[in-house]
Amino acid sequence: MNFTRVAIVALGFTSLAALASAHSIAIAATQAAAGSVSGAEANPANWPARNATVATDPEVERRIDDLIAAMSLEQKVGQIIQADIASVTPDDVYRYHLGSVLNGGNSDPGGRYNAPAKDWLAAADAFYAASMKPNGNLPRIPVIWGSDAVHGHNNVVGATLFPHNIGLGAARNPDLIRRIGEATAIEMRVTGLDWTFAPTLAVVRDDRWGRTYEGFGETPEIATSYAAPLIEGLQGRIGDEDWLRGPHIIATAKHFLGDGGTLGGKDQGDVQMGEASLRDLFSPPYIPALDAGVQSVMVSFSSWNGVKMHGSRSLLTDVMKKRWNFDGFLVGDWNGHGQVAGCTATDCAQSAVAGLDMYMAPDSWKELYRTTLAHAKDGALPLARLDDAVRRILRVKIRAKLFDAGKPSSRPYGGRFELLGGKDHRALAREAVRESLVLLKNSGGLLPLKPGATVLVAGDGADNLTKQTGGWTLSWQGTGTKRSDFPNAQSIWEGIDAEVKAAGGSAVLSADGRYAKKPDVAIVIFGEDPYAEFQGDRPDVGYDDAKNLALLRSLKASGVPTVSVFLSGRAMWVNPFLNASDAFVAAWLPGSEGGGVADVLFGKADFRGKLPYSWPKSSDQTAVNVGDANYDPLFPYGFGLTFADKGDLAALPESRASVAVADPGVIFAAGKPGSGRRLLLGAPGALSTNPGPQLIEARAADRVAQEDSVRLRWTGAGSAVAAIVQDAPADLSRQSNGDLALELELKVDAPPSSDVSLLMSCGAQCVGGFPLRAMLAEAAKTAKWTRIAIPLRCFEKAGVNMTRVETPLSIATSGTLDLVLSSARIVSPSGPTLQCK
């Protein structure tokens, strides 16, 4: 079914403004052109000079010259475009000469998040074969496949999952990092992939950022010490026979530059500071990365003083390529070029002119190919710049011996599926978990525990690999997975149970903390649910969890000594939880090896982890970094107790310094509109909160709890709308670019008698929508709860300006209809979505 503009007139609407909002606010989204914002132009002379690490090989350069001379213009353009496997076929790679494919966080072979490893390898073979299929006299250039293997080969079922970078930052162990890189590279080779979008070298300055856990720490220190060993683990050492091949792959240093320093911790936001601060805070890790021979650098979504990095010639070309002598290639981030001033996702010569070598154009690739080819012909994209981008990509492919490697399944390690989650790699991951744990409190020396004791294990994170592994795990957000998706993993509960049983003790799992016999000790495991990128952005760093806090307080009141194991992607204000616990462990997002937590809790190893981020004293202490004026965290950067340390902690204040803010992705839930939104009803042009029942009425309804839903009934007496409107326009462009969807849960009690439209609007004359009648009629036949998910990009294609959405949801019809709406959310979809062209 195609997504189209809805014929509003056919429904009898006379005023588009009525569908837009109760008010008529329009926000003009503007962005300063590159170089026009004061302080947005880098002076290369102010940056440290760097000599090239990899010596120029005349034979390689001659080979590149010969290839470029033999390539058609179409082939050159194809080489600089990367498409997502959810939107491209092997035949497309052949026809459009595409240089690269990627799998985004929600893209998998066959569209299955848990596709088996053999399907990944088969897909890699298919794309490779398409790129090497003879095509007249054109040279054959192998495709390269990129993937976000950011904590192991985390997109593939059965792979070893290492702690996320925040935990590895706590470990302070460069040799461990090197070995993790080596293991990850081998597991990627097993499935035929040859390029990872890692490591992330972000220096994170505001813990509200949803990607905080992807950074090693709040200062350049840890990332700078890790960059070279991790890249050498992934790629091998320059000059070695297996550099970039055999057990090694191509690595990516990302995201250049300043991704962790945006104002307010907003993902894809603006870094507002002078050039010296930008250089000194965020560039240091890139020097050892380049010295180690990293072959690709990913450009950041973010801006510097209003200018998008994807359009910053002074940083991409003048600093990275010229001052630092980087001779690999710069790859964009997910349609990031479309955020450059004057650009769209499908048309942006400006980004290539600024220095981008490969567009990451997941779903926009075909139209981008067309416009880029046109720009190469009309001169907007100079041929010299195009040839330079192609040269850089070919140089990396030749260095990696891809022209001579054969299909992925025939290469070393291809198809050796027993290496996914193999014994040695899991042991390495368990070691990493042990070294990542940070002990914040240990009153009375409660830890280490005696394994022969009677142990109660509680909390919603105890036996929950989805929560334990975090975002970027089998799906972009890390949600929607089940235990069977982790065949080579051990939950924290399973690790504790094995430890206690081996010592003759007794362990009981009770998520809610109930017990028949009073235990000697309780271990409560809880924390943040998985998220990734901007979906993890927060208004503050206060952790709220009434259920697990009540559980801790109940155990304390009962006299049960309690250890809290906190799972999180950032340092958070948890004063009430610290007060209710006798011992408190920051376990971050440990990955697949829960046994590593048990090893330390029961004394097989001592705590070694030290805080890579300062721990906040209050919920609004969001940007607290060592070296700040008036630096005053609860626990400082580098803090971490051992068993030998005195671990008592005085009672802490428990009042929140900031008010918890509701999830901005909630359009409707728990029987009411989300924060900052209202439900309006009525005829077009006459929407109100209580228009009377003549055209449409809304009544509270029950699904799981009392009045947790709303029943909407259209009488058929005339055209009518049920709309949820914003108090102020919302910018949903990030969400649209990130493949989020408007997801509804509803039940149809009486089918529609006329056409129904699901609409989103952004002001007068700015409406796009979807015909819903057939779907609702089908749902009425089952009388069951139905999930409907429409990608936000479909609304954008239908004409909605996603930078100023005023009405994120409205349902309109002139006929009769009776339905119950349980929820409406903007989310990473949990299942299939409707497709749009």
Side-chain angles (χ1 to χ4, degrees):
M1 184 178 291
N2 292 343
F3 192 93
T4 60
R5 291 181 182 270
V6 175
I8 305 294
V9 176
L11 293 174
F13 292 98
T14 58
S15 172
L16 289 173
L19 293 174
S21 177
H23 49 73
S24 181
I25 299 176
I27 296 179
T30 60
Q31 183 190 98
S36 65
V37 176
S38 176
E41 187 81 17
N43 179 356
N46 294 334
W47 297 66
R50 180 191 165 274
N51 294 323
T53 305
V54 184
T56 300
D57 185 332
E59 183 179 341
V60 169
E61 299 307 311
R62 281 194 297 270
R63 186 174 182 185
I64 296 171
D65 289 339
D66 292 342
L67 285 168
I68 290 177
M71 292 171 70
S72 67
L73 185 62
E74 290 78 7
Q75 193 175 23
K76 292 177 181 179
V77 170
Q79 277 299 300
I80 70 170
I81 291 179
Q82 181 184 61
D84 187 85
I85 63 169
S87 302
V88 71
T89 66
D91 185 58
D92 290 328
V93 168
Y94 171 76
R95 291 177 58 202
Y96 294 91
H97 319 286
L98 299 181
S100 179
V101 297
L102 80 149
N103 61 281
N106 287 330
S107 300
D108 312 271
R112 293 182 295 158
Y113 79 92
N114 56 0
K118 65 179 181 61
D119 289 5
W120 287 85
L121 185 59
D125 276 352
F127 282 113
Y128 171 83
S131 70
M132 301 303 284
K133 179 181 174 182
N135 189 343
N137 295 323
L138 293 175
R140 297 295 78 209
I141 301 172
V143 71
I144 186 173
W145 184 329
S147 185
D148 284 285
V150 295
H151 66 124
H153 194 13
N154 44 263
N155 294 285
V156 177
V157 169
T160 308
L161 300 173
F162 296 96
H164 271 290
N165 285 353
I166 190 171
L168 299 180
R172 305 291 212 285
N173 187 341
D175 178 66
L176 173 70
I177 297 303
R178 183 190 307 276
R179 289 182 283 137
I180 288 173
E182 292 170 347
T184 300
I186 287 174
E187 296 202 12
M188 288 191 73
R189 284 294 191 188
V190 167
T191 60
L193 276 60
D194 38 31
W195 177 20
T196 178
F197 300 141
T200 299
L201 300 179
V203 177
V204 182
R205 306 296 288 177
D206 191 318
D207 294 353
R208 288 174 288 188
W209 190 34
R211 306 189 77 160
T212 295
Y213 65 82
E214 295 187 54
F216 292 115
E218 69 187 38
T219 73
E221 170 196 14
I222 305 174
T224 301
S225 71
Y226 278 2
L230 183 48
I231 287 163
E232 289 181 343
L234 290 165
Q235 293 192 159
R237 293 179 185 269
I238 299 169
D240 286 356
E241 183 62 29
D242 61 2
W243 184 52
L244 305 175
R245 46 193 177 272
H248 298 299
I249 57 175
I250 297 164
T252 307
K254 69 180 189 184
H255 307 84
F256 186 78
L257 185 65
D259 50 350
T262 60
L263 185 65
K266 182 180 179 182
D267 191 44
Q268 304 182 27
D270 191 31
V271 180
Q272 299 180 6
M273 62 179 61
E275 180 179 4
S277 296
L278 180 78
R279 177 197 63 209
D280 295 345
L281 275 174
F282 303 111
S283 75
Y286 285 90
I287 299 298
L290 296 175
D291 289 346
V294 71
Q295 290 296 286
S296 70
V297 172
M298 184 178 289
V299 180
S300 178
F301 273 123
S302 57
S303 308
W304 174 40
N305 292 336
V307 176
K308 282 292 180 181
M309 285 291 163
H310 278 70
S312 175
R313 178 180 173 82
S314 67
L315 287 167
L316 302 187
T317 297
D318 298 340
V319 172
M320 176 59 72
K321 293 181 176 180
K322 294 182 178 179
R323 185 69 169 171
W324 286 351
N325 285 292
F326 174 60
D327 67 355
F329 66 89
L330 297 176
V331 62
D333 208 341
W334 191 275
N335 280 331
H337 56 275
Q339 298 181 14
V340 173
C343 287
T344 67
T346 57
D347 190 349
C348 191
Q350 296 95 311
S351 201
V353 170
L356 188 73
D357 300 308
M358 182 181 287
Y359 295 95
M360 185 184 288
D363 55 352
S364 59
W365 66 268
K366 189 175 290 186
E367 182 63 13
L368 181 67
Y369 173 90
R370 186 190 68 78
T371 59
T372 305
L373 180 60
H375 291 315
K377 291 177 178 178
D378 67 21
L381 174 56
L383 292 181
R385 173 75 271 270
L386 175 61
D387 283 353
D388 176 64
V390 173
R391 174 176 294 274
R392 290 169 174 276
I393 294 165
L394 294 178
R395 183 181 291 128
V396 173
K397 290 183 177 183
I398 291 171
R399 284 173 173 170
K401 301 290 187 184
L402 292 179
F403 284 83
D404 315 307
K407 63 182 181 180
S409 62
S410 71
R411 301 172 192 171
Y413 302 96
R416 294 183 58 184
F417 300 122
E418 74 278 5
L419 296 176
L420 284 176
K423 180 180 178 181
D424 291 345
H425 292 177
R426 290 191 62 192
L428 175 61
R430 187 164 179 157
E431 177 186 350
V433 174
R434 288 195 296 268
E435 295 196 16
S436 71
L437 305 177
V438 180
L439 181 60
L440 299 181
K441 180 180 180 180
N442 192 22
S443 293
L446 176 60
L447 294 175
L449 302 175
K450 296 178 180 178
T454 299
V455 181
L456 173 69
V457 182
D460 63 346
D463 195 27
N464 188 337
L465 279 157
T466 298
K467 195 159 190 161
Q468 179 178 316
T469 53
W472 291 110
T473 305
L474 300 184
S475 68
W476 177 35
Q477 295 297 311
T479 55
T481 56
K482 51 187 183 298
R483 179 63 182 87
S484 60
D485 295 327
F486 302 93
N488 301 323
Q490 185 179 50
S491 71
I492 297 174
W493 149 251
E494 291 165 348
I496 293 170
D497 187 43
E499 187 76 27
V500 172
K501 281 182 177 177
S506 172
V508 176
L509 175 66
S510 173
D512 63 5
R514 296 179 185 178
Y515 54 83
K517 178 184 176 183
K518 186 175 181 180
D520 297 320
V521 67
I523 302 172
V524 182
I525 304 147
F526 60 97
E528 290 189 291
D529 290 325
Y531 54 82
E533 299 195 37
F534 54 83
Q535 288 212 61
D537 284 0
R538 291 179 52 93
D540 65 15
V541 291
Y543 178 72
D544 301 293
D545 184 346
K547 185 175 181 180
N548 281 301
L549 181 58
L551 167 58
L552 287 169
R553 286 171 171 168
S554 174
L555 290 168
K556 187 177 184 69
S558 299
V560 177
T562 304
V563 179
S564 283
V565 177
F566 185 53
L567 304 175
S568 73
R570 65 193 109 209
M572 304 192 77
W573 178 77
V574 289
N575 285 11
F577 300 86
L578 282 161
N579 286 342
S581 309
D582 295 289
F584 194 98
V585 178
W588 316 112
L589 301 170
S592 60
E593 303 311 311
V597 177
D599 289 343
V600 180
L601 293 182
F602 291 97
K604 281 190 171 181
D606 201 346
F607 284 91
R608 289 188 52 182
K610 305 299 178 184
L611 288 180
Y613 294 89
S614 303
W615 201 273
K617 180 176 284 187
S618 61
S619 62
D620 62 352
Q621 199 176 33
T622 58
V624 53
N625 299 298
V626 63
D628 289 349
N630 303 314
Y631 178 66
D632 186 29
L634 180 62
F635 302 112
Y637 175 85
F639 178 85
L641 300 168
T642 66
F643 291 140
D645 295 322
K646 182 176 176 58
D648 295 319
L649 184 66
L652 300 168
E654 297 192 1
S655 296
R656 244 183 169 278
S658 51
V659 178
V661 178
D663 182 353
V666 174
I667 307 298
F668 182 90
K672 60 184 179 181
S675 178
R677 299 181 169 109
R678 292 171 292 156
L679 174 62
L680 301 180
L681 309 170
L687 299 180
S688 68
T689 55
N690 186 22
Q694 291 82 7
L695 294 176
I696 183 173
E697 64 177 338
R699 292 185 178 180
D702 301 343
R703 181 182 181 185
V704 177
Q706 185 176 6
E707 298 188 359
D708 65 349
S709 304
V710 62
R711 180 183 179 187
L712 300 168
R713 189 179 68 85
W714 283 258
T715 66
S719 298
V721 182
I724 295 179
V725 303
Q726 303 272 150
D727 289 344
D731 183 353
L732 300 181
S733 57
R734 291 186 307 166
Q735 290 85 339
S736 179
N737 184 45
D739 274 353
L740 269 63
L742 173 62
E743 188 171 271
L744 312 179
E745 290 187 6
L746 51 81
K747 182 166 65 74
V748 182
D749 291 334
S753 64
S754 185
D755 290 339
V756 182
S757 298
L758 176 65
L759 304 168
M760 185 176 290
S761 64
C762 47
Q765 309 301 317
C766 184
V767 179
F770 192 84
L772 212 57
R773 181 179 184 179
M775 198 176 309
L776 295 180
E778 191 65 28
K781 295 177 182 177
T782 67
K784 295 180 179 179
W785 288 99
T786 300
R787 172 189 163 277
I788 298 173
I790 303 97
L792 294 183
R793 56 183 167 80
C794 293
F795 289 99
E796 185 172 17
K797 288 182 178 181
V800 178
N801 183 339
M802 303 306 290
T803 66
R804 51 181 182 87
V805 174
E806 296 183 2
T807 306
L809 169 64
S810 61
I811 301 173
T813 184
S814 58
T816 59
L817 173 63
D818 192 344
L819 63 81
V820 180
L821 178 66
S822 173
S823 74
R825 300 173 186 267
I826 295 173
V827 296
S828 180
S830 57
T833 61
L834 297 176
Q835 299 301 307
C836 58
K837 292 184 178 179

